[in-house]
Amino acid sequence: MNNVSRLAVAGAVAASSVLLLSGTAFAHVSVQPQGEAAKGGYATVNFKVPNERDNASTVKLEVTVPADHPLSSVMPQPVPGWKAEVTRTKLAKPLTVHGKQITEAVSKITWTADGGKIEPGQFQQFPVSLGQLPEDTDQLVFKALQTYDNKEVVRWIEESKEGAAEPEHPAPVLPLSAATGDHHGGGATKADDKSDESASGHHDADAKTEAAAHSDAGDTTARVLAVVGIVIGAAGVAFGVLAGRRRSA
């Protein structure tokens, strides 16, 4: 086998490995916000469930709501072909939300196939409204169980550790952004206002710079077109003179 053939084989193997690893990395249950999930506010999120098997379909999903950061409001959106069941648990320490005490919170959501299923090569999203999001953490970890119609259960419950490789079955993690005034429970501070003013000033300056750049570009284009016109005109005059001389001759 010559060097070119060896390089071709090595490249093919490397490409196949990358594709294989990429498929594995993205094929787990995850949670993704629709928009922003800000501390102290409310958010709608999607639990995305891909089917990892070639010979079985997903027929059940159980998501555990973190007990260390209980949420007063958890409402699943209806999904055609699936039945959602919400399990509530009494809180050891009541929550105070909008001046009211909450003594129990949702601890688990279970979706069971009711005419629907996630077949091989497909995925399904399960939307849920969450709130009030905690203000004392940067993320929420939702452990999940995925059940197939061949009775296999995949436990997405392993928490990732900083500096360590991603576990084989990572739990879905919802990152929380800084609180903003656009969410219930999140208030804007004076520092935020100054930051907004500063950002506005930067935007205005950028807009002026961009306008000036467009103006310069327009002037340059006009000059180029003028020069081209002059050159074409001169060429036309020269052609006319030469044509006249030929006729005279």
Side-chain angles (χ1 to χ4, degrees), residues 9 74 167 246:
V9 172
V74 177
R246 287 175 181 172

Side-chain angles (χ1 to χ4, degrees), residues 47-167:
F47 287 95
K48 184 177 180 180
V49 184
N51 191 323
E52 292 188 308
R53 301 295 179 260
D54 296 328
N55 57 354
S57 297
T58 297
V59 293
K60 187 177 181 180
L61 174 69
E62 299 171 73
V63 174
T64 300
V65 181
D68 53 344
H69 295 289
L71 303 174
S72 60
S73 176
V74 177
M75 295 184 294
Q77 180 177 318
V79 177
W82 294 81
K83 179 181 178 181
E85 180 183 355
V86 175
T87 302
R88 297 180 178 274
T89 301
K90 190 171 183 179
L91 297 174
K93 182 180 179 181
L95 294 174
T96 301
V97 181
H98 303 309
K100 296 182 179 180
Q101 279 205 336
I102 307 297
T103 58
E104 63 177 20
V106 173
S107 57
K108 185 171 69 172
I109 312 171
T110 303
W111 287 272
T112 306
D114 186 19
K117 58 183 175 179
I118 310 174
E119 298 181 355
Q122 298 181 351
F123 75 91
Q124 177 67 55
Q125 295 192 105
F126 299 91
V128 180
S129 174
L130 303 175
Q132 183 173 352
L133 299 175
E135 300 184 53
D136 58 349
T137 184
D138 293 326
Q139 64 179 28
L140 290 175
V141 179
F142 296 87
K143 297 182 179 182
L145 303 182
Q146 180 180 10
T147 303
Y148 290 87
D149 55 9
N150 62 358
K151 307 303 180 183
E152 178 189 6
V153 178
V154 181
R155 302 168 62 83
W156 302 100
I157 62 173
E158 300 174 8
E159 297 190 36
S160 300
K161 296 181 180 179
E162 187 175 355
E166 184 181 59

Side-chain angles (χ1 to χ4, degrees), residues 179-195:
T180 66
D182 295 334
H183 298 273
H184 298 296
T189 63
K190 293 182 178 179
D192 293 332
D193 293 338
K194 291 180 180 178
S195 297

Side-chain angles (χ1 to χ4, degrees), residues 10-34:
V13 171
S16 301
S17 300
V18 170
L19 291 173
L20 182 61
L21 293 175
S22 297
T24 302
F26 288 99
H28 42 62
V29 175
S30 61
V31 58
Q32 304 164 344
Q34 295 182 13

